[in-house]
Amino acid sequence: MFRTRLRPRHTALTACAAAAALLTAGCAKASAGAQVSGCRADGHWSQRQQAAWLRSTVSFREPGDGGRSPYRDAAVEMHSAARPLCEPVVAHVGFWTLTATETATGAGMSSVMDHRLSFDGSRSRTVAFPAHLLAARGGACGDVLVAVYAGDPLTGDELPQRLPDQGAARSADVGFRTERIGAYRLLPPPDPTRCDSAVPTVSPSPSRSAAWDIYHP
């Protein structure tokens, strides 16, 4: 009789313990879900996905001096996102000057600056053009390439192998050999007025907006 009376009580305690365990698990899942809902999960993104996300945040601010200096007040802007990433993306903003010379590894490119930053879209970031690109230089007739990309610094095998003709380049023709490029822009020489008159130059395309068009692969 004594054992018979204890069985219902034992069963009730077991049921209560199971219910408590389920409640705890449910609360934990709810807490985790609430944490993820405040940001965009990106822990398993490929670098191609990271580049696509960067593309949606990048714009190129045009010069604000009426074109007297192609790069004065120009900048690469990375805008805040409506839903920031849970884990920041390692991004680079690279600047290169270009020449008509081709090498065994690709087009003639000289790195001017490579700015690395962690970016999750929680706040806007602005990367100004390198200061010495703004300075007047005699014979500064090389186009300038600007690119925003994800991951490690680009290797020689990822840079464009061929570029359009000097002074008549179109950004859509710049062929990076990687999927890590988010956006890029090919710009005219820093000081086109000092270029050889025999070398054609191009001016930034007119636009009604306050930003340059974005080109990407």
Side-chain angles (χ1 to χ4, degrees):
M1 294 293 293
F2 183 74
R3 291 182 179 177
T4 302
R5 291 177 180 177
L6 282 179
R7 284 177 182 172
R9 183 179 179 185
H10 178 74
T11 302
L13 289 174
T14 302
C16 288
L22 290 173
L23 181 61
T24 301
C27 290
K29 290 181 180 180
S31 176
Q35 183 177 2
V36 173
S37 66
C39 60
R40 186 174 180 181
D42 63 312
H44 299 289
W45 278 7
S46 66
Q47 290 186 327
R48 180 178 183 179
Q49 290 174 302
Q50 292 177 347
W53 180 81
L54 284 173
R55 188 174 307 143
S56 69
T57 69
V58 171
S59 67
F60 297 94
R61 189 170 65 200
E62 70 179 56
D65 63 355
R68 289 187 297 274
S69 173
Y71 302 149
R72 193 171 304 282
D73 299 327
V76 178
E77 296 183 332
M78 303 173 72
H79 303 281
S80 59
R83 191 180 179 192
L85 301 181
C86 296
E87 299 181 20
V89 168
V90 175
H92 290 255
V93 181
F95 297 83
W96 298 266
T97 54
L98 310 181
T99 67
T101 304
E102 291 191 7
T103 66
T105 58
M109 301 177 62
S110 178
S111 177
V112 177
M113 184 181 80
D114 188 271
H115 182 75
R116 180 186 183 277
L117 68 158
S118 294
F119 185 65
D120 62 3
S122 60
R123 63 186 180 93
S124 298
R125 304 287 294 273
T126 300
V127 179
F129 274 51
H132 65 277
L133 279 181
L134 305 178
R137 297 182 299 159
C141 295
D143 291 336
V144 173
L145 178 62
V146 186
V148 181
Y149 62 94
D152 296 328
L154 294 176
T155 66
D157 291 338
E158 294 176 306
L159 295 175
Q161 189 165 11
R162 292 181 179 276
L163 291 168
D165 293 337
Q166 184 73 32
R170 294 182 179 180
S171 294
D173 295 329
V174 177
F176 283 95
R177 293 175 287 173
T178 177
E179 297 179 335
R180 298 195 286 127
I181 305 298
Y184 62 81
R185 188 74 164 95
L186 190 59
L187 305 173
D191 190 11
T193 61
R194 298 196 176 202
C195 291
D196 186 341
S197 59
V199 178
T201 61
V202 295
S203 301
S205 300
S207 173
R208 297 180 181 178
S209 67
W212 292 323
D213 295 331
I214 296 178
Y215 298 88
H216 57 78

